[in-house]
Amino acid sequence: MTETEYARGLEGVIAAESEICQIDGAAGKLYYRGYSIEDLAQHSSFEETTYLLLYEKLPSEPELKDFTQRMRQSRDLSPVILNMIRDFPPAGSPMELLQSVISYLSSSVEHRIRHSADCNCRRTLHQVAQMSTVIATYQRFKEDKDYVESRPDLSQGANFLYQLRGEEPPAEEGRILDTCLLLHAEHGFNASTFTARVVASTYSTCYCSISAAIGALAGFLHGGANERVMNTVDEIGTKENIESWLDKALDEHRKVMGMGHRVYKAKDPRATVMEGMLEELSQKKGDRRLYEFLKHLEGSFRARMEQKGKPIYPNVDFFSGAVYTMLGIPRYLFTPLFAAARSSGWLAHILEQRKDNRIFRPKALFAGPTPRPYVPIEKRPSS
Amino acid sequence: MTETEYARGLEGVIAAESEICQIDGAAGKLYYRGYSIEDLAQHSSFEETTYLLLYEKLPSEPELKDFTQRMRQSRDLSPVILNMIRDFPPAGSPMELLQSVISYLSSSVEHRIRHSADCNCRRTLHQVAQMSTVIATYQRFKEDKDYVESRPDLSQGANFLYQLRGEEPPAEEGRILDTCLLLHAEHGFNASTFTARVVASTYSTCYCSISAAIGALAGFLHGGANERVMNTVDEIGTKENIESWLDKALDEHRKVMGMGHRVYKAKDPRATVMEGMLEELSQKKGDRRLYEFLKHLEGSFRARMEQKGKPIYPNVDFFSGAVYTMLGIPRYLFTPLFAAARSSGWLAHILEQRKDNRIFRPKALFAGPTPRPYVPIEKRPSS
């Protein structure tokens, strides 16, 4: 590129090396530190996966026990944070609240930023563990219910449902939500993860870096796709309307939410896991309507696209909104839950950034006015 | 560059075009939208300069009147924000508080993000106007004093001193602080401004984008240089120690804080303005000690560097800490004040980003482990 050419949005530009996440878009494979997402979904938990992301290896039994204990002890909210949630304006977005709470929380942790690359990041883990508590509590206060203290015997996923509902969820529901968190824990570079690394590159605290990343995920060009899949389901209404809705949508060149992926050219492996969990949940709850609706929509859409020679597959968002809906989670909490899950990936990227840091400071190409004299206000043209 | 080469920290990489700020490092010139910083410092105000940054032109009289009124009406804090400040842990950094408050505030504004590039950003301007109120109030609560409501007849700078002290500052002190804000309002790309643009590129709100930028400025590789200049003054102690301190510092290849600039190879034009204000303030207060100390330090250091054939000049931070100190502002508020000033530059960049947006999404170069099988916990090596 010449000195005045550049890639808008830094598209295609390498910003850093990373060892955390490998995406094989052509084969439809995703690995966290070398372990396939299918293996992790089947055998691991959100807590163990967080350990893997942060410590670069699977934990031994005592390591996992200690780590899990630390995370679970960090789940509960202080009275000040409870007030922030209680007083939050009803018209506000829970993402704004989450962003605000995480930087506020930074003040109650001892940071050793200047002295080590680790900087205490992995010690208390409020910045990961409290996220889902904030979300559950936001919802409870919205419903005029009380704060529910966390249960240290429950996994991160099961505990979220417990704090949301005020009663212990059936075991399979807790496991399914925990797996949802695991599936969303990491996905390489994107605007929010990049934001976390840019902020961390100044040696700001990991809390403040994660807070900034939440701000990026809140933008509707980034988060919110699974919410929009569910809006599409509403818009279509009944299974009988799918064909005519698709006719119109394709005529109008509208995007079908949850279909296709910038990176995956084969099926998003997370979508396969998510679909299995949706089917399981539908079976347990004896209500297969949403599952069958989505399978019908997927089938019709893919058949049409294949006819056009454009094979296209569902991504993780296509099924996740339905899973959350069947677990009783309102739509506006989907992106906050995504943030709660991704917090562990963000933290892994922050730690990696610090290991071999260089402050992010790209250039701007100046394209503005040339120097001009200041004009006193009385001599300016009226608008 | 080949497919695996990249610039660490995106150094030298163009990330966007910008019309806002031009820095001529060789000539030691700085322009906001074509107007020199010297002209603006002499004739303009922080509010008018904010208008210039946001609206791309100097305002007419009615435009400035309306804009100033809107900004001044947005200065006061709600009871909820006052509680957040009151309850903020004493060990926390006011930057964490500021970052938290600004994303929290996002919830009380109507954003029209999806419908226009403007997105209501410039209407109420809490995200610019309230910053200095939060800082002043943080300090008052720290001293067990009451919140002071803002005075709509005072400039942004004078009002900050009024809200901090609880009494109206002498006119020249108000003007000097207002000019300090103006001098720091914008400076092209750096980690915090880049953060604001990355977050805004997802179509997150401008409040959430500014909150993220505060997080970046909080890192000690970014903000805090003027605080460290004052720490150097303390370390040296008396004017008589300057020579021996410099001998040792240069022997040890230590950086002298506030001297030299990554971009300016001539004198930072803001340093010239700042030096003039420090001298004026010293004169008015009848205490020239700090001014003379800094001039002596500058003179000795520059003479030594010139002997080595390395001309080096003071930057804006060299004198600003002394100005703030003479205005009675504690050191830990210097970087928060920088954020308050830069908020208008950040907002200008956010608006510019939205005008022709592309989400920031660079690539990572994967350098991690190849796919490997999951190992059940009982078969893992103990650590």
Side-chain angles (χ1 to χ4, degrees):
Chain A
M1 286 196 275
T2 71
E3 274 184 22
T4 58
E5 280 176 33
Y6 66 99
R8 292 178 65 230
L10 293 170
E11 193 179 336
V13 174
I14 298 173
E17 277 179 55
S18 181
E19 301 182 3
I20 302 169
C21 178
Q22 187 176 18
I23 304 168
D24 182 343
K29 295 291 283 176
L30 167 64
Y31 305 90
Y32 295 171
R33 299 203 181 275
Y35 298 104
S36 78
I37 197 69
E38 293 90 343
D39 275 355
L40 292 169
Q42 193 181 344
H43 303 294
S44 190
S45 65
F46 179 70
E47 289 163 327
E48 183 181 84
T49 297
T50 299
Y51 185 100
L52 169 67
L53 290 169
L54 302 186
Y55 290 88
E56 309 176 24
K57 67 175 192 96
L58 288 170
S60 67
E61 270 187 292
E63 284 165 342
L64 182 60
K65 196 175 158 213
D66 171 67
F67 183 77
T68 300
Q69 201 170 34
R70 276 191 281 141
M71 260 186 82
R72 295 184 184 186
Q73 279 169 351
S74 298
R75 282 176 187 162
D76 281 307
L77 306 176
S78 71
V80 180
I81 303 296
L82 289 173
N83 284 340
M84 282 174 69
I85 301 173
R86 198 174 282 112
D87 293 337
F88 193 67
S93 147
M95 288 298 276
E96 296 164 330
L97 175 64
L98 214 47
Q99 182 176 4
S100 178
V101 165
I102 298 301
S103 40
Y104 202 93
L105 270 182
S106 185
S107 62
S108 44
V109 179
E110 189 200 342
H111 305 283
R112 291 174 304 175
I113 303 171
R114 303 190 193 198
H115 309 302
S116 89
D118 186 357
C119 90
N120 248 3
C121 267
R122 303 182 289 192
R123 201 173 51 87
T124 53
L125 294 163
H126 299 99
Q127 76 279 49
V128 176
Q130 289 200 7
M131 299 268 276
S132 60
T133 307
V134 172
I135 300 165
T137 306
Y138 167 82
Q139 182 58 22
R140 287 191 69 83
F141 288 176
K142 211 179 171 75
E143 296 173 4
D144 279 322
K145 293 177 180 161
D146 286 336
Y147 171 60
V148 174
E149 283 197 10
S150 73
R151 277 259 305 267
D153 58 321
L154 295 178
S155 73
Q156 186 75 9
N159 180 66
F160 169 71
L161 292 175
Y162 170 69
Q163 288 193 294
L164 182 73
R165 300 176 181 174
E167 56 183 44
E168 190 176 337
E172 73 277 6
E173 296 191 17
R175 184 185 38 75
I176 284 172
L177 190 66
D178 200 64
T179 305
C180 289
L181 295 176
L182 177 162
L183 289 177
H184 287 91
E186 165 58 10
H187 209 251
F189 269 30
N190 46 46
S192 57
T193 301
F194 181 53
T195 299
R197 289 186 78 127
V198 171
V199 176
S201 82
T202 72
Y203 275 20
S204 191
T205 77
C206 62
Y207 287 69
C208 291
S209 309
I210 288 178
S211 167
I214 296 168
L217 186 61
F220 82 96
L221 293 185
H222 191 353
N226 51 2
E227 209 177 325
R228 294 196 280 276
V229 170
M230 293 311 294
N231 294 344
T232 300
V233 169
D234 281 355
E235 193 188 317
I236 299 175
T238 64
K239 227 159 83 171
E240 290 63 42
N241 295 340
I242 288 178
E243 298 304 330
S244 60
W245 186 89
L246 274 176
D247 287 342
K248 194 153 175 286
L250 293 179
D251 266 3
E252 293 169 358
H253 302 285
R254 278 175 64 186
K255 196 170 149 45
V256 177
M257 292 309 304
M259 283 289 166
H261 193 279
R262 191 172 58 91
V263 182
Y264 294 111
K265 299 311 163 199
K267 190 163 178 180
D268 178 342
R270 300 168 301 173
T272 308
V273 177
M274 202 59 93
E275 179 185 333
M277 296 196 299
L278 179 61
E279 191 178 9
E280 183 189 344
L281 208 50
S282 306
Q283 208 71 17
K284 291 267 180 194
K285 292 198 176 272
D287 180 356
R288 291 175 57 88
R289 284 174 302 172
L290 195 47
Y291 173 73
E292 280 167 8
F293 184 100
L294 286 175
K295 287 304 290 176
H296 188 138
L297 178 59
E298 177 196 348
S300 296
F301 179 67
R302 285 179 60 182
R304 286 158 189 255
M305 296 311 284
E306 263 157 41
Q307 271 185 351
K308 296 188 184 190
K310 293 183 196 163
I312 193 162
Y313 304 89
N315 60 48
V316 66
D317 298 311
F318 190 72
F319 296 107
S320 66
V323 169
Y324 295 154
T325 301
M326 293 202 74
L327 291 171
I329 301 166
R331 273 174 216 185
Y332 49 82
L333 297 186
F334 292 0
T335 306
L337 258 187
F338 183 179
R342 186 57 55 87
S343 60
S344 58
W346 288 330
L347 188 49
H349 278 277
I350 291 165
L351 288 165
E352 186 174 71
Q353 179 64 34
R354 290 236 179 85
K355 268 168 69 175
D356 179 30
N357 189 55
R358 174 84 62 96
I359 189 169
F360 278 100
R361 205 157 43 186
K363 289 197 300 186
L365 183 65
F366 181 68
T370 50
R372 47 182 167 173
Y374 185 84
V375 182
I377 193 157
E378 61 279 9
K379 295 195 177 163
R380 291 174 205 160
S382 56
S383 48
Chain B
M1 284 195 275
T2 69
E3 275 185 23
T4 58
E5 279 174 34
Y6 68 99
R8 292 179 65 231
L10 293 169
E11 193 178 335
V13 173
I14 299 173
E17 276 180 56
S18 181
E19 302 182 4
I20 303 169
C21 178
Q22 187 177 18
I23 304 168
D24 182 343
K29 295 292 284 175
L30 168 64
Y31 305 91
Y32 294 171
R33 299 204 181 274
Y35 299 104
S36 79
I37 197 70
E38 293 90 343
D39 276 355
L40 293 169
Q42 195 181 344
H43 304 294
S44 190
S45 65
F46 178 70
E47 288 163 328
E48 183 182 83
T49 298
T50 299
Y51 186 100
L52 169 67
L53 291 169
L54 302 186
Y55 289 88
E56 309 177 24
K57 68 175 193 97
L58 288 169
S60 67
E61 270 186 292
E63 284 165 342
L64 182 60
K65 196 176 156 213
D66 171 66
F67 183 77
T68 300
Q69 203 170 34
R70 276 191 281 142
M71 257 186 84
R72 294 184 185 186
Q73 281 170 351
S74 298
R75 282 177 185 161
D76 282 307
L77 307 176
S78 70
V80 180
I81 303 296
L82 289 173
N83 284 340
M84 281 174 69
I85 301 174
R86 198 174 283 112
D87 294 337
F88 192 67
S93 149
M95 289 297 277
E96 295 164 331
L97 175 64
L98 214 46
Q99 181 176 4
S100 177
V101 165
I102 298 302
S103 40
Y104 202 92
L105 270 181
S106 185
S107 62
S108 43
V109 180
E110 190 200 340
H111 306 282
R112 290 174 304 174
I113 303 174
R114 304 189 194 199
H115 309 302
S116 89
D118 186 358
C119 88
N120 246 4
C121 267
R122 303 181 290 191
R123 202 173 51 87
T124 52
L125 293 164
H126 300 98
Q127 75 281 49
V128 176
Q130 289 201 6
M131 298 268 276
S132 60
T133 308
V134 172
I135 299 165
T137 306
Y138 167 82
Q139 182 59 22
R140 287 190 70 81
F141 287 175
K142 211 178 170 76
E143 297 173 2
D144 279 322
K145 292 177 180 158
D146 286 337
Y147 171 60
V148 173
E149 283 196 11
S150 73
R151 277 259 305 268
D153 58 321
L154 296 177
S155 72
Q156 186 76 10
N159 181 66
F160 168 71
L161 291 176
Y162 170 69
Q163 288 193 295
L164 182 72
R165 299 175 183 176
E167 57 184 44
E168 191 177 337
E172 74 276 7
E173 296 191 15
R175 183 185 38 76
I176 284 173
L177 190 66
D178 202 62
T179 306
C180 289
L181 295 177
L182 178 161
L183 290 177
H184 287 91
E186 165 56 12
H187 209 250
F189 269 31
N190 46 47
S192 57
T193 301
F194 181 54
T195 299
R197 290 186 77 125
V198 172
V199 175
S201 81
T202 70
Y203 275 20
S204 191
T205 78
C206 61
Y207 287 69
C208 292
S209 308
I210 289 178
S211 166
I214 296 168
L217 186 60
F220 81 96
L221 293 185
H222 192 352
N226 51 1
E227 207 177 327
R228 293 196 281 274
V229 170
M230 294 311 294
N231 295 343
T232 300
V233 170
D234 281 355
E235 193 188 315
I236 300 176
T238 65
K239 227 159 84 170
E240 291 63 43
N241 295 341
I242 288 179
E243 299 303 330
S244 60
W245 186 88
L246 275 175
D247 287 341
K248 195 155 176 284
L250 294 179
D251 266 3
E252 292 169 357
H253 302 283
R254 280 175 64 184
K255 195 169 150 42
V256 177
M257 291 310 303
M259 284 289 165
H261 194 280
R262 192 171 57 91
V263 181
Y264 295 112
K265 299 311 166 201
K267 191 165 176 179
D268 179 341
R270 300 168 299 173
T272 308
V273 178
M274 202 58 94
E275 180 184 332
M277 296 196 298
L278 179 61
E279 192 179 9
E280 183 190 345
L281 208 50
S282 306
Q283 208 72 16
K284 291 267 182 197
K285 293 200 174 266
D287 181 355
R288 292 175 57 87
R289 285 175 301 174
L290 196 46
Y291 173 72
E292 282 168 8
F293 184 99
L294 286 175
K295 287 304 290 177
H296 189 135
L297 178 60
E298 178 195 349
S300 296
F301 178 67
R302 284 179 60 183
R304 286 158 190 255
M305 297 311 283
E306 263 156 39
Q307 272 186 350
K308 295 188 186 187
K310 292 183 196 161
I312 193 163
Y313 303 90
N315 61 47
V316 67
D317 298 311
F318 190 71
F319 295 107
S320 65
V323 169
Y324 295 154
T325 300
M326 293 201 75
L327 291 171
I329 301 167
R331 273 173 215 184
Y332 48 81
L333 298 186
F334 293 179
T335 307
L337 258 186
F338 183 0
R342 187 56 55 87
S343 60
S344 58
W346 289 330
L347 188 50
H349 278 277
I350 291 165
L351 288 164
E352 186 174 71
Q353 178 65 35
R354 289 234 179 85
K355 269 167 72 174
D356 179 30
N357 189 57
R358 174 84 62 96
I359 189 169
F360 278 101
R361 205 158 43 185
K363 288 196 303 186
L365 183 65
F366 182 68
T370 50
R372 46 184 167 172
Y374 185 85
V375 182
I377 194 158
E378 63 278 9
K379 292 195 178 163
R380 291 174 205 159
S382 55
S383 48

